[in-house]
């Protein structure tokens, strides 16, 4: 009878031990399983920012120039600025020389152009003196008119050498305000003569290629007057 209780106690003691050991093992497994995952996750979290900070620091350190490099850049800029000022000064000297040369050439060309004019003016002056000396009380009006016409022709040649051309305005031409300057108005009963040039008082001159004359022709101009239409025979137009 004494052996049966011992045999009964042994199993009763072993069951709680096995249950406790089994519970402990399962608890250890639960604790052990998140351990490696946490440690792995922790390692990845730690490694991630460290690697990113390392990668971010590498380009920053490679882009930032050193003091020596900045000094070289400034020295290069100063050298370029100095070279620019030297070239600008040399160009200003060259421009001044070219301007002086152009003025000299223009002066020479002007003298060449004016030389024939000067010669003709001298000839005109001599002819005027000769004409004045030849005047006498018995000289006719026709002779005086011929002398003056010759002088006018000489002056026209001089103006032509200066590059001026006569407008060649003539009586009977249409009046053009751009080319002519009306000095006198003459009434007419003929509407066909309205704004026609009666007489050229002074010939005009223009430079070739210019639209406006240097000196417009001075003229007298017909202006139609209806009140004198019946009194003027040429004013009859056949209208009732």
């Amino acid at each position: 009878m004494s052996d049966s209780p011992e045999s009964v106690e042994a199993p009763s003691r072993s069951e709680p031990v096995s249950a406790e050991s089994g519970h402990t093992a399962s608890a250890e497994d639960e604790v052990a399983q998140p351990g490696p995952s946490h440690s792995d996750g922790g390692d990845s979290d730690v490694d991630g920012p460290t690697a990113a900070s390392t990668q971010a620091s590498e380009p920053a350190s490679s882009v930032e120039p050193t003091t020596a490099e900045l000094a070289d850049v400034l020295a290069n800029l100063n050298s370029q600025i100095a070279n620019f000022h030297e070239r600008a000064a040399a160009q200003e000297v060259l421009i001044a020389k070219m301007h002086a040369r152009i003025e000299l050439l223009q002066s020479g060309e002007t003298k060449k152009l004016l030389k024939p004019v000067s010669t003709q003016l001298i000839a005109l002056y001599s002819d005027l003196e000769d004409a004045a000396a030849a005047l006498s009380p018995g000289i006719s009006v026709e002779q005086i008119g011929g002398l003056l016409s010759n002088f006018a022709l000489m002056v026209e040649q001089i103006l032509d050498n200066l590059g001026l051309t006569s407008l060649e305005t003539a009586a009977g031409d249409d009046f053009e305000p751009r080319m002519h300057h009306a000095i006198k108005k003459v009434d007419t009963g003929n509407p066909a003569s309205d704004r026609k040039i009666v007489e050229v008082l002074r010939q005009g001159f223009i430079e070739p290629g210019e639209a406006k004359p240097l000196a417009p022709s001075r003229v007298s101009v017909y202006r139609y007057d209806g009140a004198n239409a019946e009194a003027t025979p040429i004013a009859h137009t056949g209208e009732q």
Side-chain angles (χ1 to χ4, degrees):
M1 297 295 293
S2 61
D3 294 335
S4 59
E6 294 177 358
S7 60
V8 173
E9 292 176 359
S12 61
R13 292 178 180 176
S14 62
E15 287 178 359
V17 171
S18 60
E20 184 179 358
S21 63
H23 178 70
T24 305
S26 61
E28 291 177 354
D29 293 338
E30 292 178 357
V31 174
Q33 287 178 357
S37 62
H38 179 71
S39 63
D40 293 340
D43 293 339
S44 62
D45 293 340
V46 173
D47 293 341
T50 304
S53 61
T54 304
Q55 293 176 355
S57 62
E58 287 179 355
S61 61
S62 61
V63 171
E64 292 180 356
T66 62
T67 304
E69 290 176 347
L70 290 175
D72 292 339
V73 171
L74 291 176
N76 188 17
L77 288 176
N78 290 331
S79 177
Q80 292 180 1
I81 293 172
N83 292 334
F84 172 78
H85 286 300
E86 290 179 0
R87 290 194 300 268
Q91 289 178 354
E92 289 179 358
V93 173
L94 179 61
I95 291 172
K97 290 182 179 179
M98 293 178 64
H99 183 68
R101 180 62 177 169
I102 290 172
E103 288 183 345
L104 181 61
L105 291 174
Q106 288 178 343
S107 177
E109 291 296 328
T110 302
K111 289 180 179 179
K112 289 181 181 179
L113 291 173
L114 292 178
K115 185 175 181 180
V117 176
S118 301
T119 302
Q120 290 178 336
L121 286 174
I122 292 172
L124 177 61
Y125 175 78
S126 300
D127 291 343
L128 287 172
E129 281 193 332
D130 294 341
L135 288 176
S136 63
I139 191 171
S140 64
V141 176
E142 290 79 6
Q143 291 175 335
I144 295 175
L147 289 174
L148 294 177
S149 297
N150 289 334
F151 296 149
L153 181 61
M154 294 181 66
V155 172
E156 185 175 352
Q157 291 176 350
I158 294 173
L159 294 174
D160 183 69
N161 287 332
L162 290 174
L164 299 176
T165 304
S166 172
L167 292 177
E168 298 181 355
T169 305
D173 292 346
D174 292 330
F175 176 76
E176 298 181 19
R178 184 170 56 88
M179 295 293 182
H180 307 140
H181 180 61
I183 301 300
K184 183 180 179 182
K185 181 183 74 171
V186 179
D187 294 332
T188 178
N190 184 6
S193 299
D194 187 39
R195 297 182 64 83
K196 294 287 185 180
I197 293 176
V198 181
E199 182 184 5
V200 179
L201 305 177
R202 191 182 73 180
Q203 192 62 258
F205 290 85
I206 189 172
E207 295 181 358
E210 296 292 333
K212 186 177 180 181
L214 182 64
S217 298
R218 294 190 175 187
V219 297
S220 58
V221 185
Y222 281 124
R223 294 303 303 268
Y224 173 68
D225 185 4
N228 296 328
E230 296 180 357
T232 305
I234 61 173
H236 180 68
T237 60
E239 296 180 359
Q240 300 296 330

